Amino acid sequence: MKGDNCFTFIDLFAGIGGMRLAFESCDGECVFSSEWNKFSQITYRENFGEMPIGDIREINEKDIPDHDILVAGFPCQPFSIAGVVKKNSLGRASGFLDRTQGTLFFDIVRILNEKRPKGFLLENVKNLKSHDGKKTWKVILESLEELDYEVFWEVKDGQDYVPQHRERIFIVGFDRRRYGRNINFSFNFLVKTQKRKLKEILDGEVPLKYTLSDRLWQYLQDYAAKHRARGNGFGYGLANIEGITRTLSARYHKDGSEILIPQVDSNPRRLTPRECARLQGFPENFKIPVSDTQAYRQFGNSVVVPLVTAIAKQILDTIENMEEGDGQQDSVVL
C-alpha cells in the first residue's frame, strides 16, 4: 500500500484535518469527511477544498463510501448501562450497537459494522481509560471485540516529534475476518533521537498584541502564588525555549497561561496561532482563515501530525505485509 497503490480512508470527527494530513502524506485518498463545528469546517474547506459533512449522526452508514481505513478523533461520552441492564433482565442480547447507542462512539461502531474497512485508527485523550469509572473504556474495547477486529492501543507522547508534552491514546484495529488473529502490529516504531526544541518553532518578531498586559500578567502571578501557598500546583507555565512546552489545550485562547513565552525586558507572551500550528506539526502552508480565538481552539483540539503519520505508516505496513504474506514488518523512521 505504498507509492502508486493508493488506499482510501474516511475522516470522522475531523476537526481541521490533522489526521487527514497524516494519511494523505502516506498516499491515501480521503473519500468522506465529517465535522460538525462550523469554524472547523471553514478551516477544513480552505485547506482541503471540500466542506465536511456536518452531523455524522444524521448520515446513514450505507451511504458512506467503501474505504480501507477508518480514521476518527472521537469525543468521549459516558455510556449508559441502564438500557443494557433492562434488556438483559428481559433475556435479550444487547450487543455493541445497543451498548453504545446515544454516544458518538456509536457512529463509529455502526460504520465499522456496515463497511468493514481493513483497519482503523481512533484517537482520544489519555484519560479515556479512566473516563466514567472506566465504563467507557470497557464498552469501547468490548464493542470493537464483538465487531471482530483485533485491537491494539497505546498512549503516545508527541514530544518525540514536536517540542510539546502531549499524551494521547491511540487505538488501532484490523479486520479479523480478513486477516485472522495472528496480526503483528506494534507501536514501537523508531523515532528521531534528536528531539526538537521550542525555540525552533518560534517567530523572531511577533505583534505586540500577543504580549500579556500588565493586568493579566499580575493576575496570573498572584493566582499562582495563592495556589502555591495552599500546596497546589496550579499556575501559569513559563516555557523553556531550549526544551518543550506543556500540552496545548483548547482553552489556550482564554489567557495562554499554560504556555507563555518569556521575553527580555517585557511581560511574557502567548504563542501565535502559526506557532501553535507548528507546535502540532502542521506544515507552513496550512491556512488559518479564522480568528485567533477559533484558531487556538482548533489547534488545541488537534493532533500531533507527524506522530499520527508514523502510526499511519505502521498501520499501512502491517496491512501490506499481511496481504503480501511475508509476515515481516519494517519499523518507521521519520
Side-chain angles (χ1 to χ4, degrees):
M1 301 181 72
K2 296 176 181 177
D4 295 332
N5 298 322
C6 184
F7 65 94
T8 57
F9 68 96
I10 64 172
D11 191 15
L12 305 180
F13 310 104
I16 57 175
M19 303 268 268
R20 176 167 177 160
L21 285 173
F23 278 81
E24 283 189 339
S25 72
C26 299
D27 297 323
E29 177 189 358
C30 184
V31 295
F32 177 86
S33 60
S34 174
E35 169 55 45
W36 71 272
N37 182 273
K38 64 180 183 180
F39 297 105
S40 294
Q41 285 180 328
I42 292 170
T43 300
Y44 198 98
R45 181 185 61 197
E46 284 296 308
N47 285 281
F48 300 105
E50 65 183 60
M51 178 69 79
I53 298 296
D55 193 341
I56 190 62
R57 295 172 297 181
E58 299 177 358
I59 304 300
N60 189 314
E61 59 269 24
K62 295 182 184 296
D63 295 333
I64 292 176
D66 292 338
H67 51 277
D68 295 313
I69 309 288
L70 179 148
V71 177
F74 69 102
C76 68
Q77 304 159 280
F79 290 87
S80 172
I81 63 171
V84 177
V85 171
K86 181 179 179 180
K87 289 193 175 189
N88 287 343
S89 68
L90 296 174
R92 300 175 185 172
S94 59
F96 50 82
L97 288 174
D98 286 315
R99 280 205 305 275
T100 60
Q101 183 74 54
T103 71
L104 293 172
F105 182 70
F106 166 76
D107 299 289
I108 294 172
V109 168
R110 65 185 175 90
I111 294 168
L112 286 172
N113 188 47
E114 172 66 28
K115 309 306 293 190
R116 294 213 65 86
K118 296 177 181 180
F120 62 77
L121 172 62
L122 312 181
E123 179 267 351
N124 211 296
V125 295
K126 175 185 176 181
N127 291 337
L128 177 67
K129 292 190 299 177
S130 58
H131 186 256
D132 195 28
K134 300 185 179 180
K135 295 175 189 175
T136 300
W137 184 242
K138 183 174 185 289
V139 171
I140 286 173
L141 293 185
E142 288 181 351
S143 299
L144 296 174
E145 169 72 23
E146 287 185 45
L147 281 166
D148 218 6
Y149 277 84
E150 191 74 10
V151 177
F152 306 82
W153 62 269
E154 190 162 310
V155 174
K156 302 295 289 185
D157 195 330
Q159 68 176 293
D160 289 327
Y161 298 88
V162 295
Q164 176 192 181
H165 171 58
R166 189 181 189 86
E167 291 183 304
R168 291 294 183 267
I169 192 165
F170 294 92
I171 309 169
V172 170
F174 300 93
D175 185 6
R176 289 185 189 138
R177 298 178 191 175
R178 186 187 297 262
Y179 302 118
R181 290 178 177 268
N182 187 24
I183 297 173
N184 183 24
F185 176 83
S186 173
F187 283 96
N188 295 325
F189 38 77
L190 297 178
V191 298
K192 291 180 179 178
T193 56
Q194 184 65 42
K195 293 185 178 180
R196 299 190 65 187
K197 297 179 180 180
L198 175 58
K199 66 180 182 180
E200 297 175 26
I201 64 108
L202 299 179
D203 286 324
E205 295 185 9
V206 173
L208 185 60
K209 68 176 182 176
Y210 296 106
T211 294
L212 300 190
S213 67
D214 289 341
R215 182 176 179 181
L216 177 55
W217 178 223
Q218 188 61 55
Y219 168 79
L220 292 177
Q221 292 177 92
D222 292 344
Y223 182 83
K226 179 177 68 174
H227 281 281
R228 277 197 304 270
R230 296 176 180 175
N232 298 327
F234 299 107
Y236 60 87
L238 201 57
N240 175 10
I241 66 170
E242 295 291 338
I244 65 173
T245 72
R246 294 179 176 182
T247 302
L248 179 69
S249 72
R251 71 165 299 283
Y252 192 73
H253 71 93
K254 293 184 177 180
D255 54 28
S257 62
E258 66 257 41
I259 306 173
L260 294 176
I261 308 303
Q263 299 187 104
V264 178
D265 298 326
S266 178
N267 296 342
R269 67 172 178 86
R270 295 179 176 91
L271 293 166
T272 68
R274 177 58 63 190
E275 290 169 333
C276 288
R278 294 175 190 142
L279 198 61
Q280 293 282 50
F282 280 74
E284 285 296 306
N285 62 357
F286 191 84
K287 300 173 185 174
I288 307 176
V290 293
S291 68
D292 283 2
T293 294
Q294 292 301 328
Y296 286 138
R297 286 173 173 164
Q298 290 174 6
F299 290 116
N301 281 325
S302 193
V303 295
V304 173
V305 176
L307 170 56
V308 177
T309 302
I311 297 172
K313 288 181 178 179
Q314 198 78 338
I315 292 170
L316 297 168
D317 281 350
T318 300
I319 291 174
E320 181 181 47
N321 290 333
M322 288 190 294
E323 294 185 347
E324 289 180 351
D326 63 14
Q328 300 296 317
Q329 294 177 210
D330 297 321
S331 293
V332 177
V333 181
L334 293 184

